[in-house]
Structure formats: structure tokens, C-alpha cells
Amino acid sequence: MIYNRKKVLFIILFLLVMLVPSNVSSATQPANKRIAILPFQVHSGGDAMPIQKQIAFQLASGLTESGYVDLVNEETFKGLIEGKRSDDRLAVLVGEQTEAGFVILGSITNLGEMSSMDVGVINVKNGSRHSIFVQGSDLDTLILRVKNDILQKILTEQRIAEVRLEGNLRIEDEVIYNVLKSTQGKLFSKEDISSDIKSIYKIGFFRDVTVSVTDTGDGKVITFKLEELPLITAVDIEGSEKVSKDDIEGLITVKEKQIFNLSKVQSDIASIKTFYKNAGYLNAQVEYRQEEQEKGLRIVYGIKENRKLTIKEIVFEGNRAYASKELKAIMESSEEGLLHFFTDSGAFDEARLKQDANKLTVFYMNNGYINAAVGEPEITNDDEWIYVKITISEGKQFRVGNVEITGDTLTTQRSDLLARLEITNKDYFDREAVVKDIDILTEACKQEGYAYATVLPRTLSKDAEQKIDVAYNIEKGNLVYINRISITGNAKTKDKVIRRELESVEGELYDSDKIRTSYANLSKLRYFGEVNFQTEKGSAENLMDIDVNVSEKPTGMVSVGAGYSGTENLVFMGKLSQENFLGNGQTLSLTAYLGSETTNYKLSFTEPWLFDMPLWSEFEVWNMERQYDSYSVDTNGFRTTLGYPLFERVKGYVGYTLKNNTIYDLESSASSYIRRQEGSLTSSGVTLTLSRDTTNDNFSPSEGSRNSLSLDYTGTIFQGDASFTKYTANSKWFFGLPFDNVLGLYGRIGYIQANEGREIPVYDRFYLGGLDSIRGLRDVGPYEGNDPIGGETMMCFTAEVIFPVLKDAGLKGVLFFDTGNAWNSGYDPGDMRKTAGVGVRWYSPIGPLRLEWGFILDRKETDPGGRWEFTLGMLM
């Protein structure tokens, strides 16, 4: 019997201990306060009963919800108050009869939209009164305020007198106080304490939180006892042998001098695993351990990489129309091949596989399978390989049915618009073609001024015929005019320099072609790193504002360099230039070129808009000395050129040149032709040029052409010692190829004839060879003795492919074939020298650089096998 009683007592004590929270200790709670509420007196013009009931109900509910109040049922004292006026003596009587500790009574007065409540809290034991007065427009708010004041008065022992923090050494008190619900002056609440503990844990800096509550004469003192998480003193990685440790460190968010946070560590582990998975290490294992140190914790991420896996097999399920081989060719992901050491074959990338699934979906959609569904790749692996399975539901293939254009009409005939559409050239329905057709029709609207036009495609599927009809509905809207063109971003470049390149002007009809041309014009200036055209609706539906935003880049260049040239051997160069001089779009340039055979100084100034007209002008002065094998030439000159646009992309140029040439230091081996020209000779003449340029870039075009015809007329009416007429024609064509490659085809032909019976100066005749004509050869053309004397006729052609080597750095490679020759008279296509070769081109910080090797295909006895060609600071 004694044994059983002890057993029962033990069980009871155990249950009591289990019911008390382990991290909260508190003094024994006193019994609830017993309260009676007398009906409130209502001073209002309306019915008082509803207001009385509302006050009684809300006040009673609010007090009992606190958990510290027991309410006396009104029925128990109804007889005591019936027919009597509520006052303090009646309240004490009710309290004594009902054994209530406190009795609440009061009145409410309505004055217009405002109400006031006068409330008394009567202490039955000593008859003392605590008065409460509140005023406002909302009755619910007034009752809430009264309820709070009542609780504060009668539950003095439940008020929080102080909240203390212990154990937080590194974390400021304010950080913790800011998350607590339990604050000084509020009523104590177990729910608030529980919430506070959770909030402190959420801060993430504490390992343990316990709470103790002490009763004092002023109320309750709450003490939060805190144990901070340790500080991290070191973070290390072990086991990363095949993957760069730097890459893994970039994924880790846990750092030294941070407080240990387990969730951050677990997040880092997940990031490392994902990184390894994407790198093909699907079986990689990542764990962590923590080592206690004197001042904190050392965190170590331990990695077991295991074998890198590659894709062994990609299989398709459900494909009938297309063989697996065709589908694999569409994907970037592939199975491991024999050359996987040199290629990317078999490499695993989950994100890339998902993109491949999207590509396959697009492929089916663009080939008439409008209901095709390509599932997400199913990836499995073992210790050696990765296996990928892609499930496909093809559905039926649909042909293109009737194609029509509906809705608004344009100036362009619908038959012409239909002829432009891509879908009309397709046998099977092609979703991508429909998207392109929307752009084509929208662009056609914009070209006619309908800037806000919309084109909505409608498709009608005919399952029985397996055809899809397509209708493009045009809603062109109103004609739109350009309201305002604003220029932003130009701190240096003047507005007029930008505006004169714009094809569109304020007040004219919107034209998308002009916008594109304007963009191309500004880009070709090379004053700006970025050019953006932003359009938005103007003050009316038929008006549009255009904001041309530019990002300027440095246009000045100071360069000093040295190099080796195939012609000059050791070369020293210096250049000072400004392509946007004073923000006016002008170019000022001073160049010095010092070689073993040539010394050249040149000062030039270019004004593209002389007198604010599209009148291009250039002024040059130069001095050049050139040493040849048997003589030397010294040249001083001046040239001025004016150019004006005659038609779209066609310009005419008129130039005047005055120069003085002196032939001196003749060797005894010099030819008679050169000896006859010894001494000074003045040339004065004009040059007429007609050119057409449709290229997309001034320096490195990838499409378009440059064609020119030129006539030099020297002497006669222009005086001077020389008199001749020189005709030249140049043509360059550029074609874009896949993968950013460019095909260039160039041709040049020339003819010179003497006037007034005078001999053509040797330095004005045609010479071929070098970077600009036949690479790998020098002085191609007629000779007299050992001296090249140039030709009176000339013809040469070039074909080259330019390809990117380091795209971001602007480094390009080139493969070329050159052919040409110069003759004393006539043209002989059967007598053309030939070279081929390879080279690099780079728009370097100190100017354009070319380094190319020309191999002579029709080598003669006196020719070398080939020759390096080098230049720096000349346009490509």
C-alpha cells in the first residue's frame, strides 16, 4: 500500500513538471480578480438600450480575455440595483453582496459626432475610487481604452515593472528589446513570453534562451537569460581537388568573425552540392564539422568529390516523325564522344538540358506539330555515367492553310504585304514564322506613320484537313507625328552635332526606317559607347516624344609606340588626335612617323559640317622624306577637300592639292627616268571624287559596300611643273557570315596619262605591293634597271575572310588572297601576281594594328618566300 502511494505521488509530480515550460520559471499566479459591471448611464437623444448592451458586452469580453478577471453575472445583483441610481455606495453594496473585489460603473454622453465616457473603478475593500475619462468619435476605441485603463488599475501585480537581459555580450540590448512584445508597463502575458522567446531565436545569434519571472511590489520583473552562439574564427574547405577552391569560396556565405548560424551553413552545403552537380559531379558529398577553438569555432566544409560523370546516353521516347539523331543535333547537350578531351561532348549541365527541351519544343512547333509536348529530361546516374531520357508526345502535323490580312488597310497593297510574309513560304505551320510576320506587318505600319499599330494573329485549326488558317488583323490606329526630340547624356558633345545626324525631325510623320538610320548614323560617329532611342506618347494620342540618350566615351588619343614594319624595319610612331574636338564633331590630328626609310609629319583638321551645312571639309599639311635604293624624295604639301551629299549615301568631293617634291641623293645606278626628274618639281591640281558608302561601320564593317570613282587633274590651268590626268576606281564589298565572320571582296583599277607632253613624275605612278594591295610583295610593276618606276595602268583584287579571335578584346584574324599588277600600258589579266596569307587585326589602345603574313604563290627567282606586313595607327 505504501509502495502504491509513493508511485502515485511520483506520477503526479512527473506530470506537473512536464506541464511547466522548461525555459520559463515564474512565481505562483494569484487568483483571478472578481469584477462586477453596473449598467452604464447613457445621455443621448436616441435609444439608450443598444448602447448600454454594446458597452456591457465589449467591456466584459475585453476584461475576461485578459485571463486575469472573473466576471460576476449581472443576474446575481439585478435585484439590488433595479430602480436605483448607480453611485459609489451602490457599487460597494453590490461588491459586498457578490464578493466582487472591484465594481465598474459609469456614463456615456453623446454630443454630435463626439462621445465622452466617465468611468469609475470602485475598490470594494476600502471604498476607494479610480476615475477614467476618455473622449472621441469612435465608441469601439473608447471602450478599448477604458478596458486597458481598468486592467492597469486592478491588476497592479500583473504589470511588468522591468524587463532585464542577461548573457548578451556581443549583441546590443536594443536589438533584442526591439523584437519583444513584453515591455515595461504592459500586463504580463504567457503568450507574449512564448512569442518573445521565438523572436529572440529568430535573430539568429543565440544558442539558448530561458526566462524567469519574479513578483515585486511594483509588479513583475522578467529576466531573459541568453546564451550567444559562438563566433566563427576560421572557415576552411577540404577535399576540393578537381574543382577550384576559389569557386567554392565564392558560394560560401559563412565568413570569419560572424556568429555561427546553422541554417546558413546548411544553405552553403546545398549551394556547393548544386555547383558540383552542374559541373558533372553528381555523386559529390558535402558535409561540415565544427571545431571548438579558444576564441570561437572553426567551420570546415568537407568535400568528397568522387568521379566526374558525363552523359553516356540520351534517349527519346515517343518520337516518330524525327529520328533521335536529328533531335540530338538540335541540342547543345550531347553524349560523350571520342574527342571529348578536346570538345565539350558529354558535359553535364542540368540548366542546359532544360534549355534543350525548350529547343525541341520550338523545333516541333516550327514544323507543324502544334500540339507537341516535350517533357523535362529525366536524369539518372550510377557511379560511372549519366543517362538522360526525354519523353515526347508529337501529335499530328499541320500544314499551312489559308493566309490572309484583315483589318485596316495601308498604302502598301495587301498583295505586296502577303508576298513579304514568311508563313506563305512554308509548307507546314511555323510558329516562329508567325512571330516574324507580326514584326514585318508592324514595321510596315510604322513606316507609314502608324507608330502605335498592333497586329494580332488569329489561327484556325482544321483537324480533319490537318491545316491551320492564319489571319493577321491590323489595327493601325492614328497617324503619329513627332512632337519633341530630346537629347540626354551628352556632357561634352553639343546637341547640334547629334541632331544633324538624325533623319527624323520634330513635326514630321513618324517613320521607323528613319529612326533606324538615325541610330546607325550616331553609332558610326564613334563618339558614344551606347546610343538608345526611347519613345513615349506625347501630349496627345497622335504625338510621340523621342529621347535620344547617349553615353559618351573618350575620343582623344595620345599614343607613342615602336614596332617593326616589313617596309621600314624599326619604326617609331607618335600620334595626338581628338575625334570630337571641343564637342563640335571635328577631328584634329598630329602624326609623326619615323622609320628607317621614311619620315613623315602630318597635321590635319576635319570639319564634317562646315558652316552648319552637311559640307564635309578637311585640311592637311605634311612633310615627308622617303629614301629609295638609288635616290631620295622630300615632299612638302597642302591639301583641302570639300564633300557634299548628292543623293542618299552618295557624296561628291572636290579637293585641291599643292605640293613640292624634290628628288636628290641620286646613286650612279639610278635609272635615266629618275635622273631626268632630279631636283624640285611643283604639282598643283584638283581631285574630283564620287563615292557611295552603305557599310554599317566606319572601321570594321560587316555588311554593305564602299565604291568610288576619282579623277586627279594636275597642271595646265592649275600651273605647276607636273601635268597629268589620273583615273582610279575602287570597290569594296562586305558580307556577313555565320558566327560573326565577314567576307570582304575588294577591287581597284587605275589609269594615268601625261598632259602637255610632260613626263609623269615617278612618285605619282601606280605601285602595288604591301598591306593595301598585294601582301607579301613589294614594288609590283614596271622597272627600269634596278629601279621600280611604277605603271601607267594598274589593276588588283582581294578576297579575305575576317573572323573573331577574342571578341571582347576586339582581336580579329584574317585569311586573304591578293592578285594584281601594274603595266606601262594596257591591262593583262594573265600577268597578275598572286599571294595568300593569314594575319591578325586589333583596334588597340594606341590605334589600329595589323600584322599579316603574305605567301607568294607565283614566286620568282628574286622573290623571297613571303613577307610580314605590319602597321600601327592606320585605319584598317
Side-chain angles (χ1 to χ4, degrees):
M1 182 64 70
I2 294 174
Y3 172 80
N4 289 339
R5 287 178 181 174
K6 288 183 177 180
K7 186 175 182 181
V8 171
L9 286 172
F10 177 82
I11 292 172
I12 292 172
L13 288 171
F14 176 80
L15 291 173
L16 288 173
V17 170
M18 293 299 293
L19 289 172
V20 177
S22 60
N23 58 348
V24 181
S25 61
S26 175
T28 304
Q29 298 295 329
N32 286 355
K33 305 291 184 180
R34 188 170 171 81
I35 295 177
I37 302 175
L38 302 184
F40 274 52
Q41 297 178 26
V42 179
H43 305 292
S44 173
D47 187 2
M49 187 61 68
I51 298 176
Q52 272 188 337
K53 289 184 176 179
Q54 182 181 351
I55 294 173
F57 175 76
Q58 290 185 219
L59 199 55
S61 299
L63 293 172
T64 54
E65 282 176 0
S66 69
Y68 297 109
V69 172
D70 289 336
L71 201 62
V72 176
N73 193 322
E74 187 179 346
E75 294 295 327
T76 62
F77 57 84
K78 192 173 184 181
L80 290 174
I81 64 173
E82 195 167 1
K84 297 179 182 177
R85 185 176 179 276
S86 295
D87 55 21
D88 292 4
R89 285 187 297 174
L90 181 62
V92 172
L93 177 62
V94 171
E96 291 173 345
Q97 293 294 321
T98 59
E99 297 182 352
F102 295 89
V103 177
I104 312 299
L105 72 163
S107 65
I108 180 168
T109 303
N110 290 331
L111 296 173
E113 295 183 357
M114 296 295 292
S115 299
S116 60
M117 293 183 69
D118 192 354
V119 181
V121 180
I122 309 301
N123 187 323
V124 177
K125 184 176 181 180
N126 56 26
S128 64
R129 174 190 176 96
H130 174 71
S131 296
I132 302 169
F133 179 80
V134 294
Q135 190 174 18
S137 59
D138 181 62
L139 183 57
D140 291 339
T141 303
L142 296 179
I143 297 171
L144 178 62
R145 289 167 60 187
V146 168
K147 182 264 294 185
N148 290 336
D149 281 354
I150 293 172
L151 289 174
Q152 288 288 337
K153 180 60 181 174
I154 67 175
L155 300 175
T156 54
E157 72 280 1
Q158 295 297 334
R159 283 202 303 266
I160 299 174
E162 186 181 359
V163 178
R164 298 174 181 172
L165 303 176
E166 294 180 1
N168 55 312
L169 303 177
R170 292 185 297 270
I171 310 305
E172 297 291 336
D173 288 355
E174 286 303 317
V175 174
I176 304 168
Y177 282 135
N178 284 337
V179 303
L180 298 182
K181 289 184 177 181
S182 302
T183 58
Q184 186 176 2
K186 285 184 65 176
L187 292 178
F188 176 80
S189 167
K190 292 181 180 178
E191 290 76 13
D192 286 350
I193 292 293
S194 178
S195 174
D196 290 341
I197 292 172
K198 293 176 182 177
S199 297
I200 293 173
Y201 274 120
K202 283 183 180 179
I203 295 175
F205 297 148
F206 299 99
R207 175 183 287 174
D208 190 30
V209 180
T210 59
V211 182
S212 64
V213 181
T214 306
D215 291 324
T216 67
D218 297 326
K220 294 186 180 293
V221 176
I222 302 173
T223 303
F224 290 91
K225 296 180 179 178
L226 312 168
E227 183 183 350
E228 292 181 337
L229 287 165
L231 198 67
I232 296 173
T233 55
V235 179
D236 293 320
I237 300 168
E238 294 180 354
S240 60
E241 299 174 356
K242 300 171 185 175
V243 172
S244 169
K245 184 178 286 188
D246 292 340
D247 290 337
I248 299 174
E249 286 176 347
L251 301 171
I252 294 175
T253 59
V254 172
K255 306 294 181 183
E256 292 182 16
K257 297 183 181 179
Q258 288 182 352
I259 291 175
F260 176 78
N261 187 316
L262 180 59
S263 62
K264 289 181 70 174
V265 172
Q266 292 170 337
S267 176
D268 288 346
I269 290 174
S271 298
I272 296 170
K273 284 183 177 179
T274 301
F275 179 81
Y276 267 97
K277 181 179 180 182
N278 290 335
Y281 295 90
L282 275 70
N283 294 325
Q285 297 172 317
V286 184
E287 296 177 344
Y288 93 98
R289 70 176 186 272
Q290 58 187 54
E291 299 175 357
E292 296 282 349
Q293 294 186 327
E294 183 179 350
K295 295 184 179 180
L297 284 180
R298 174 176 178 253
I299 304 299
V300 181
Y301 292 92
I303 301 169
K304 185 178 181 182
E305 293 177 328
N306 293 317
R307 184 178 182 273
K308 182 176 182 178
L309 306 183
T310 54
I311 299 174
K312 173 70 172 178
E313 187 178 40
I314 299 175
V315 297
F316 298 93
E317 191 175 274
N319 57 310
R320 296 180 179 83
Y322 299 99
S324 296
K325 185 177 180 180
E326 292 178 84
L327 300 179
K328 289 177 185 178
I330 297 168
M331 302 172 62
E332 282 191 48
S333 304
S334 63
E335 299 163 340
E336 182 178 288
L338 293 175
L339 301 177
H340 67 275
F341 294 105
F342 307 102
T343 66
D344 199 27
S345 67
F348 173 79
D349 186 327
E350 189 172 11
R352 186 166 62 186
L353 274 171
K354 291 181 179 179
Q355 291 174 358
D356 287 337
N358 292 332
K359 286 183 178 181
L360 292 172
T361 301
V362 171
F363 172 75
Y364 271 99
M365 293 288 186
N366 292 343
N367 284 278
Y369 293 92
I370 62 172
N371 298 316
V374 178
E376 277 206 10
E378 298 177 30
I379 302 164
T380 57
N381 68 281
D382 53 28
D383 292 339
E384 300 289 330
W385 299 100
I386 298 171
Y387 306 90
V388 179
K389 184 174 81 170
I390 301 176
T391 303
I392 299 173
S393 174
E394 293 179 333
K396 296 180 180 179
Q397 188 178 30
F398 286 75
R399 290 182 173 274
V400 177
N402 183 48
V403 179
E404 62 177 340
I405 298 173
T406 62
D408 296 334
T409 58
L410 301 175
T411 303
T412 306
Q413 297 294 319
R414 283 189 173 174
S415 57
D416 294 334
L417 293 175
L418 282 168
R420 298 182 193 177
L421 300 182
E422 294 210 5
I423 197 68
T424 56
N425 299 318
K426 303 287 183 178
D427 291 329
Y428 293 98
F429 180 78
D430 187 336
R431 188 179 64 174
E432 186 175 335
V434 172
V435 174
K436 291 180 180 178
D437 289 344
I438 293 172
D439 292 337
I440 291 170
L441 294 175
T442 303
E443 194 61 31
C445 294
K446 290 182 177 180
Q447 289 170 357
E448 296 189 13
Y450 299 100
Y452 304 130
T454 58
V455 178
L456 298 174
R458 295 195 307 269
T459 57
L460 177 62
S461 177
K462 298 178 179 178
D463 291 346
E465 302 175 37
Q466 287 184 226
K467 286 186 176 181
I468 295 180
D469 294 341
V470 183
Y472 300 95
N473 188 68
I474 296 176
E475 295 180 7
K476 61 186 184 184
N478 298 321
L479 286 171
V480 176
Y481 295 85
I482 297 175
N483 177 47
R484 180 174 57 87
I485 300 176
S486 59
I487 312 293
T488 58
N490 54 319
K492 173 186 175 183
T493 309
K494 295 179 180 177
D495 273 16
K496 71 175 185 178
V497 174
I498 298 174
R499 287 187 182 275
R500 68 195 186 193
E501 300 295 335
L502 303 179
E503 295 289 323
S504 300
V505 296
E506 294 169 341
E508 75 171 9
L509 198 63
Y510 174 85
D511 187 336
S512 57
D513 277 347
K514 289 185 176 181
I515 298 295
R516 274 193 300 274
T517 304
S518 300
Y519 175 84
N521 291 345
L522 289 176
S523 298
K524 288 178 73 172
L525 290 177
R526 286 187 173 266
Y527 304 160
F528 311 111
E530 290 184 8
V531 178
N532 293 305
F533 281 72
Q534 296 178 344
T535 60
E536 59 182 26
K537 289 186 178 181
S539 55
E541 286 294 321
N542 65 334
L543 296 178
M544 171 182 284
D545 293 335
I546 299 176
D547 177 30
V548 182
N549 180 262
V550 297
S551 173
E552 292 180 318
K553 66 178 183 180
T555 53
M557 181 176 70
V558 178
S559 61
V560 178
Y564 179 85
S565 168
T567 306
E568 301 289 339
N569 296 323
L570 187 63
V571 178
F572 295 95
M573 293 155 288
K575 184 176 182 180
L576 173 65
S577 68
Q578 173 56 260
E579 291 186 352
N580 189 13
F581 186 60
L582 300 179
N584 291 313
Q586 303 158 338
T587 300
L588 181 64
S589 175
L590 176 63
T591 304
Y593 183 95
L594 307 175
S596 59
E597 297 182 2
T598 303
T599 302
N600 186 17
Y601 302 96
K602 184 172 74 172
L603 175 67
S604 66
F605 177 77
T606 304
E607 168 58 81
W609 282 67
L610 190 63
F611 309 123
D612 287 331
M613 298 169 54
L615 182 61
W616 184 89
S617 59
E618 185 176 59
F619 307 90
E620 295 178 286
V621 293
W622 72 89
N623 172 259
M624 182 175 71
E625 294 182 17
R626 176 78 185 268
Q627 296 179 1
Y628 295 91
D629 291 341
S630 60
Y631 66 98
S632 298
V633 179
D634 180 59
T635 302
N636 298 291
F638 163 77
R639 179 183 295 117
T640 180
T641 306
L642 298 176
Y644 192 81
L646 303 176
F647 310 101
E648 184 178 1
R649 296 184 177 272
V650 177
K651 287 186 177 181
Y653 296 89
V654 178
Y656 172 75
T657 303
L658 176 64
K659 62 181 178 179
N660 182 71
N661 300 280
T662 303
I663 295 179
Y664 63 99
D665 284 348
L666 274 70
E667 300 285 342
S668 58
S669 59
S671 70
S672 59
Y673 190 89
I674 294 171
R675 287 185 175 280
R676 290 195 299 271
Q677 298 183 17
E678 183 179 10
S680 295
L681 185 148
T682 301
S683 296
S684 175
V686 297
T687 302
L688 304 177
T689 303
L690 189 67
S691 72
R692 183 173 186 267
D693 187 348
T694 63
T695 57
N696 61 344
D697 190 273
N698 285 336
F699 299 115
S700 299
S702 59
E703 60 181 40
S705 64
R706 292 173 181 158
N707 300 280
S708 66
L709 296 172
S710 183
L711 168 67
D712 292 335
Y713 190 77
T714 300
T716 64
I717 63 173
F718 298 104
Q719 301 301 307
D721 302 316
S723 183
F724 59 86
T725 305
K726 193 174 192 178
Y727 309 88
T728 55
N730 286 276
S731 185
K732 292 186 176 183
W733 294 79
F734 302 92
F735 304 92
L737 300 176
F739 309 110
D740 295 323
N741 296 323
V742 177
L743 171 65
L745 300 176
Y746 320 137
R748 183 154 57 110
I749 190 170
Y751 168 66
I752 187 171
Q753 66 177 25
N755 296 331
E756 301 180 281
R758 301 183 187 182
E759 202 168 42
I760 300 171
V762 66
Y763 38 75
D764 285 317
R765 293 166 70 93
F766 292 112
Y767 295 85
L768 294 180
L771 271 174
D772 296 325
S773 55
I774 307 174
R775 285 158 282 193
L777 286 171
R778 287 286 179 274
D779 300 323
V780 175
Y783 276 70
E784 187 174 279
N786 293 323
D787 291 323
I789 59 171
E792 296 183 11
T793 58
M794 170 273 298
M795 184 168 61
C796 64
F797 301 96
T798 289
E800 64 182 21
V801 175
I802 305 166
F803 53 91
V805 177
L806 295 174
K807 189 174 181 179
D808 293 339
L811 183 66
K812 299 180 179 181
V814 60
L815 298 171
F816 64 84
F817 170 78
D818 296 334
T819 182
N821 210 339
W823 303 273
N824 280 319
S825 63
Y827 300 92
D828 185 1
D831 181 26
M832 304 272 279
R833 301 301 308 273
K834 303 176 184 65
T835 66
V838 63
V840 294
R841 297 177 181 179
W842 180 36
Y843 197 83
S844 74
I846 60 171
L849 176 147
R850 291 176 64 175
L851 177 63
E852 299 169 17
W853 168 262
F855 177 77
I856 302 173
L857 299 177
D858 54 352
R859 182 182 176 188
K860 297 180 180 180
E861 290 184 4
T862 57
D863 290 333
R867 190 189 298 268
W868 281 107
E869 307 285 359
F870 170 84
T871 186
L872 178 65
M874 299 176 65
L875 297 183
M876 297 182 184

